[in-house]
Amino acid sequence: MTAAPTPAAPARPASPVLPGDPGPDAGAIARLVAVALDEDLGAAPGRDVTTQSTVDRAARGGADVVAREAGAVAGLVVVPVVLDQVADRLGLPHADVVWHVADGAVVDAGAVLATVTGPTHVLLVAERTLLNLVSRASGVATHTHRWTRALAGTGAQVLDTRKTTPGLRALEKYAVRCGGGTNKRMGLYDVAMVKDNHVVAAGSVASAVRAVRERHPDVAVQVEVDRPEQADEALDAGADFLLLDNMPTDVLAATVARVRAREAATGHVDLEATGNLTLERAREVALTGVDFLSVGALTHSSPILDVALDLDPRSVVAPDAGELRARP
């Protein structure tokens, strides 16, 4: 009798970046990590008084980055950046990383996300900064993943907002993409969003839209409306995208129908439901026909995902103990 073939082990990803995604801006991540390390170590090069007192500088070791709870993973892209910056500060060789999953993976509790080997000083000094960033990003991705599951099959997508942690926008918006969500705009520079205060300042929706078109003809213009008749005004002004703010479901559905009825003349206008949205309402809101649900809580209220760095005591080798032993 022929034995059944042993299933092949899943291929390890060559890169931690979300497949098909450019990843977060590298410059932004490098700056973020440098600031985070300054917070933990003091001004560069800084110091870790515990590790540098108790661990031989020449010791080497290995450790696993482990998810302590189930969720969607994000932020693994920061791991080599943190390790490299720590190594450079300490004047030690860079650590090596083996990826077991990539950003965007949905994992169970106990999953090993990556294995790192290198100078033990580098691993321990980098530990908290590395985990803070991966845990934060994975929390955002996990929260976003819940919304994408709630919206599955409706045709609507969940959007983030600018309600991000200062300094972490590139990472948090990348984490939203890792959870299956969509980025609305990166900042005030890439999309015009006419809100109530802009209308007050400009005198009317039409005046505000016209002013943006004259000064920045290359950007999309979004207009926030909270009543159906305001949608007509925004469409008449030439808005590309409407934010339907804090509308009850029946009013939202009527406004969507009102806008869609004009699309033979206006072309497709993207519609976003925003304000007072919850996971419990998500599907009901999506089924009104909106294109997007905008959820600031993805980035301002997501709890972290618990991620740990487990140093393998069998792998730690002091300089007089020979070569680093292979782990079983």
Side-chain angles (χ1 to χ4, degrees), residues 127-264:
E127 176 180 2
R128 178 44 50 199
T129 297
L130 180 159
L131 294 177
N132 283 347
L133 295 174
V134 173
S135 294
R136 172 63 184 156
S138 295
V140 171
T142 298
H143 189 182
T144 305
H145 182 62
R146 295 190 185 107
W147 279 87
T148 60
R149 285 187 302 176
L151 298 177
T154 66
Q157 300 178 68
V158 65
L159 281 175
D160 57 19
T161 71
R162 287 171 44 246
K163 296 176 182 177
T164 53
T165 309
L168 270 67
R169 181 167 296 176
L171 180 62
E172 289 179 344
K173 282 184 169 281
Y174 170 69
V176 167
R177 302 197 301 272
C178 290
T182 302
N183 298 152
K184 182 172 184 178
R185 57 176 179 163
M186 294 305 293
L188 296 172
Y189 57 87
D190 55 345
V191 172
M193 185 186 297
V194 176
K195 304 186 77 172
D196 52 358
N197 285 335
H198 301 110
V199 173
V200 170
S204 67
V205 170
S207 295
V209 173
R210 183 170 58 250
V212 174
R213 292 276 190 228
E214 289 173 354
R215 292 168 176 80
H216 301 284
D218 58 320
V219 302
V221 180
Q222 305 179 356
V223 177
E224 181 182 76
V225 303
D226 55 23
R227 300 186 307 278
E229 58 270 22
Q230 286 181 322
D232 288 332
E233 184 181 2
L235 292 176
D236 291 341
D240 304 300
F241 188 120
L242 300 185
L243 291 72
L244 309 181
D245 186 40
N246 277 299
M247 292 183 176
T249 306
D250 58 338
V251 176
L252 180 64
T255 306
V256 171
R258 188 177 187 134
V259 172
R260 298 296 183 227
R262 294 186 55 175
E263 287 190 343

Side-chain angles (χ1 to χ4, degrees), residues 257-310:
R258 188 177 187 134
V259 172
R260 298 296 183 227
R262 294 186 55 175
E263 287 190 343
T266 64
H268 180 76
V269 175
D270 284 324
L271 299 178
E272 167 196 318
T274 184
N276 197 32
L277 300 178
T278 64
L279 273 170
E280 292 71 28
R281 284 189 71 214
R283 197 165 190 87
E284 169 191 311
V285 170
L287 291 174
T288 64
V290 293
D291 301 287
F292 304 102
L293 281 71
S294 179
V295 181
L298 298 181
T299 50
H300 72 59
S301 296
S302 293
I304 68 162
L305 188 76
D306 189 8
V307 180
L309 184 77
D310 293 339

Side-chain angles (χ1 to χ4, degrees), residues 12-72:
R12 289 174 173 166
S15 166
V17 180
L18 175 68
D21 192 279
D25 178 75
I29 296 301
R31 293 189 296 272
L32 168 62
V33 169
V35 170
L37 289 175
D38 281 345
E39 287 178 338
D40 218 21
L41 304 179
R47 65 182 185 176
D48 173 348
V49 296
T50 310
T51 296
Q52 291 172 310
S53 298
T54 61
V55 178
D56 193 297
R57 177 178 168 84
R60 291 179 59 84
D64 290 331
V65 180
V66 181
R68 289 281 192 257
E69 56 186 324

